[in-house]
Amino acid sequence: MTTSPTKLLKNNYKLADRAIEMRSVDKVYQFLKITGRHIGADFDSLRALKNISFNIYKGEILGIIGRNGAGKTTLLNIIAGVLSPTRGEIKVTGKVLGLFNLGIGFQDQLTGRENIFLNGALMGAAKKELEDKLGCIIEFSELGNFIDMPLGTYSQGMRLRLGFSIIVNLDFDILAIDEVLAVGDALFQSKCFERLMDLRRSGKTLVVTNQGMDLVERLCDNVVLLDHGRMLFYGNTTEGVNKYHALLKTEKFFVGLKQETGLVENTKKWAEDTSNWGNELGTKEAAIKKVELINKSGLRPYGIRSGKPLRIKVYFEAKNPIKEPHFGIAIFRQDGVYCYGPNTKFDGHDIPEISPGKGYFELFLSKLLLAPGEYRVSVAIWDKNETLPFSYREGYYKLIVKGNNKTGQLLNLPCIFHSKAYFNLRRKNNGIVDPSMLDDKWGLKIDADGIRVDSVKILDHDDKEQETFITGGQAKLIVSFDKPFNDAKRYVWLGIYRDDGVYCQGISQRAGRSKDFKAAFLELPLLPGGYKISIGVWDGSMRRFLMYHHGIYPFRMVFNRKDHGTVYLQHKWRWTEK
């Protein structure tokens, strides 16, 4: 839950601070009885609210929570003045606006600009007020030239933008919102959340409903928990949300998950949308100010050498106290391949609160096991459930990994590749073999005269054949041909690919006079998911593959952590507040 620095405890509120007082409020709906095919003359009734009493104070954000049919919308409508209570009384101090159905009263044949005046008038705004606020409404909606297009040309998301922009720019003392933040894409949701926080800081009173308890915890000072029209709880948000979860469990409203194995079998492998790179979003309760990429010597160079340490230091400033945040950093290749994305939550760090003011967090990577190339870095300060970020810079920073990478591989993993004739530590392809010649050969198995694979084995640390390996464990790949080679210009190449075709790593070895080749990874740090092994024999003089088995031999990786990406990078976190 996020709180304002000026927030008062409920016991310190004075009578004059009350924005809304509810006393013994009931709401009863009456409807005609239906018996068989006939409508009777008698009425039946439904008691939607039962003896509801509480106070809402000026500048407070109150959440109304409960299951569908609990009475949340009915209560919100009574607060907004749309409905009257059947019994009891409600006293409201100030002007109330209700936001229940964004865009109610919109007309498709009218332009967005014309609908601002129509919708605003339906909510009781004077023409002069709408004229004065017109520029702010249009700017907040981000509709640009679409504002003078007929509403019938708008997408649903654009209609939501316009409706929300109107309501939050009008004059009011109390705002009642049903299903807050159901307003389109993440960028605009963050903007709307920030506007609600601005309204709170300006002393406005908000009453909201939402099915997402993480949003309720971040936004609300107190909650009312309803069930079958009765108020089960009124008070502290965290306590109320816990009671709501307990209610759901008691009455078996959600089905238990399958028993967990404790191991993660798949994880995110791609950026969700690279078109968002370079954007900054978040609710702005905290703001990321600067990011530094620092090498082993403490310098901030243009690029970092592959295999060397890297420190990513993120400076931020918090406006308000922030409860239970976590920090995240993610690295992507320029084409959107997810390399690695640790965060403090995955690593088990508990951060109870960030105080207002300046601070920083940093991620130290002991070895940057990425192949040379251009990458993007995302940094974020998240709420505890990653619903809406406090501050998120997505693909915002460029990371250059220096060195040569002629083959386009993603990783630079320590490996021993040897045969009876040769032994090479950390032997990489180094441009000797060109795997791009196999780009359209995925899944094909082509042998050549005199060159045939006898066996392929993937072994664990006990030299037992396996199909599944744990991230960070040992692995060996042994390839045997039916007879020794006898050509100094031939190379044996082994490639590791993700099962979606991303080339992770290639290693090559002069064939010499051997027929058995082994690649050993003392630690195979691939993250969970499916992978494929490719094998090829390369003719150095003709610069082509004489044979290949491309993406033929599968194996899987599992892990006891939820980290996203392709490769696990050993790391440490540090953070402080100045």
Side-chain angles (χ1 to χ4, degrees):
M1 182 182 73
T2 302
T3 58
S4 167
T6 60
K7 177 178 179 274
L8 298 172
L9 294 175
K10 187 173 69 172
N11 292 338
N12 292 332
Y13 281 123
K14 299 177 182 179
L15 187 63
D17 293 328
R18 292 178 181 175
I20 299 172
E21 298 177 61
M22 301 198 74
R23 294 291 175 266
S24 303
V25 168
D26 280 25
K27 182 61 181 177
V28 178
Y29 295 103
Q30 290 190 329
F31 49 91
L32 288 172
K33 284 186 176 180
I34 301 177
T35 306
R37 299 180 181 179
H38 304 286
I39 300 177
D42 294 334
F43 285 87
D44 207 343
S45 62
L46 170 67
R47 195 177 174 194
L49 294 177
K50 305 169 185 177
N51 195 29
I52 306 297
S53 298
F54 60 84
N55 299 320
I56 304 175
Y57 295 88
K58 294 177 181 178
E60 180 183 3
I61 300 184
L62 179 77
I64 302 175
I65 62 176
R67 295 173 294 187
N68 292 333
K72 302 189 300 295
T73 301
T74 297
L75 180 55
L76 207 63
N77 273 281
I78 290 176
I79 290 171
V82 177
L83 296 175
S84 298
T86 306
R87 285 183 290 273
E89 62 178 352
I90 176 170
K91 181 180 178 181
V92 177
T93 303
K95 181 180 179 181
V96 185
L97 286 183
L99 183 55
F100 302 101
N101 188 354
L102 285 173
I104 187 169
F106 278 170
Q107 296 295 317
D108 284 353
Q109 68 272 23
L110 300 180
T111 66
R113 187 187 302 271
E114 291 167 335
N115 271 288
I116 291 173
F117 286 93
L118 174 62
N119 186 256
L122 290 173
M123 288 188 286
K127 183 178 180 182
K128 180 67 167 59
E129 179 186 355
L130 293 168
E131 289 174 343
D132 292 342
K133 299 292 180 66
L134 184 62
C136 295
I137 294 171
I138 295 173
E139 181 181 1
F140 190 89
S141 71
E142 300 177 356
L143 291 173
N145 293 333
F146 276 97
I147 200 67
D148 291 309
M149 298 284 286
L151 199 75
T153 65
Y154 284 24
S155 67
Q156 182 62 21
M158 294 165 70
R159 289 169 180 259
L160 294 174
R161 284 171 176 262
L162 185 59
F164 191 90
S165 301
I166 295 170
I167 194 77
V168 297
N169 280 286
L170 296 180
D171 291 328
F172 61 85
D173 300 298
I174 302 166
L175 180 62
I177 314 176
D178 197 12
E179 287 303 314
V180 61
L181 294 185
V183 286
D185 61 66
L187 274 172
F188 197 71
Q189 284 187 6
S190 296
K191 185 176 181 177
C192 294
F193 191 98
E194 184 182 1
R195 172 54 64 90
L196 294 179
M197 297 307 296
D198 288 341
L199 292 173
R200 171 202 212 163
R201 284 187 282 267
S202 68
K204 304 296 185 183
T205 303
L206 305 179
V207 188
V208 303
T209 69
N210 195 266
Q211 290 294 341
M213 292 301 102
D214 41 7
L215 276 178
V216 170
E217 286 192 88
R218 279 188 62 179
L219 191 62
C220 299
D221 300 297
N222 292 301
V223 295
V224 167
L225 172 59
L226 299 178
D227 192 54
H228 301 298
R230 297 186 181 276
M231 187 173 73
L232 299 186
F233 176 83
Y234 165 55
N236 175 267
T237 299
T238 301
E239 186 178 352
V241 168
N242 289 339
K243 287 182 179 295
Y244 177 51
H245 287 315
L247 175 69
L248 292 177
K249 291 178 182 178
T250 300
E251 301 202 8
K252 300 179 180 180
F253 262 72
F254 46 92
V255 179
L257 299 174
K258 294 179 180 179
Q259 186 175 0
E260 295 183 3
T261 63
L263 295 176
V264 177
E265 298 184 6
N266 288 288
T267 189
K268 294 180 182 178
K269 298 291 188 183
W270 289 91
E272 292 182 359
D273 187 358
T274 58
S275 66
N276 286 331
W277 283 1
N279 287 331
E280 181 175 5
L281 58 88
T283 58
K284 306 297 175 63
E285 293 144 280
I288 292 170
K289 297 295 186 179
K290 183 175 68 171
V291 171
E292 293 179 336
L293 305 177
I294 304 169
N295 67 12
K296 182 179 180 180
S297 302
L299 302 176
R300 295 152 179 80
Y302 171 72
I304 304 292
R305 284 282 177 189
S306 179
K308 299 298 182 181
L310 169 64
R311 189 153 49 101
I312 303 174
K313 190 170 186 178
V314 182
Y315 297 87
F316 64 84
E317 184 171 0
K319 291 182 181 179
N320 302 325
I322 296 175
K323 300 288 186 180
E324 300 181 86
H326 70 270
F327 305 126
I329 294 177
I331 302 174
F332 300 89
R333 195 167 66 180
Q334 189 67 23
D335 61 355
V337 171
Y338 206 150
C339 301
Y340 189 45
N343 63 53
T344 53
K345 182 179 180 181
F346 287 166
D347 289 335
H349 297 297
D350 181 24
I351 307 172
E353 181 177 291
I354 296 175
S355 300
K358 296 181 179 179
Y360 72 85
F361 63 92
E362 63 181 15
L363 176 70
F364 176 74
L365 302 172
S366 56
K367 290 182 180 180
L368 187 62
L369 301 178
L370 299 179
E374 187 171 310
Y375 300 83
R376 292 294 193 97
V377 178
S378 296
V379 296
I381 303 173
W382 285 99
D383 64 312
K384 65 177 181 179
N385 294 317
E386 281 197 22
T387 305
L388 278 177
F390 297 109
S391 185
Y392 182 25
R393 293 190 172 185
E394 187 174 2
Y396 206 87
Y397 301 96
K398 185 180 293 187
L399 168 64
I400 302 296
V401 180
K402 295 191 291 188
N404 295 320
N405 185 7
K406 297 179 181 180
T407 61
Q409 65 187 35
L410 177 66
L411 306 178
N412 183 11
L413 306 179
C415 174
I416 299 170
F417 192 22
H418 62 86
S419 64
K420 291 182 179 179
Y422 295 94
F423 180 93
N424 287 302
L425 179 64
R426 296 172 58 88
R427 178 71 173 174
K428 302 300 183 300
N429 189 13
N430 294 328
I432 296 171
V433 179
D434 182 8
S436 67
M437 297 185 69
L438 301 179
D439 284 351
D440 60 346
K441 305 294 192 298
W442 186 256
L444 295 182
K445 188 175 181 179
I446 305 299
D447 290 316
D449 290 341
I451 305 175
R452 294 188 180 276
V453 175
D454 187 46
S455 66
V456 176
K457 298 178 181 179
I458 308 176
L459 311 177
D460 64 10
H461 63 284
D462 291 325
D463 289 336
K464 295 181 180 179
E465 284 195 66
Q466 299 288 351
E467 294 183 354
T468 302
F469 296 83
I470 295 178
T471 300
Q474 293 184 17
K476 303 170 187 175
L477 175 62
I478 299 177
V479 179
S480 297
F481 292 86
D482 61 346
K483 60 184 179 181
F485 287 87
N486 189 21
D487 190 328
K489 294 182 180 180
R490 291 183 178 181
Y491 294 82
V492 173
W493 166 81
L494 306 179
I496 300 176
Y497 288 78
R498 290 190 341 202
D499 57 8
D500 59 359
V502 172
Y503 183 34
C504 295
Q505 174 128 2
I507 48 180
S508 58
Q509 170 72 65
R510 193 184 297 275
R513 297 181 179 276
S514 181
K515 73 181 187 70
D516 299 313
F517 300 84
K518 180 169 74 173
F521 295 90
L522 300 181
E523 293 182 359
L524 186 60
L526 297 175
L527 285 173
Y531 295 84
K532 298 285 183 66
I533 297 292
S534 294
I535 300 169
V537 174
W538 177 263
D539 188 305
S541 59
M542 301 175 65
R543 294 203 55 77
R544 67 181 181 88
F545 282 101
L546 300 176
M547 63 77 59
Y548 54 85
H549 295 178
H550 189 35
I552 298 298
Y553 306 99
F555 69 97
R556 294 198 64 81
M557 302 296 301
V558 296
F559 201 20
N560 60 357
R561 305 167 63 100
K562 297 179 181 179
D563 293 333
H564 300 320
T566 306
V567 60
Y568 178 79
L569 302 179
Q570 294 287 345
H571 62 276
K572 294 180 180 179
W573 291 96
R574 187 172 72 170
W575 61 89
T576 187
E577 301 172 44
K578 294 182 180 179

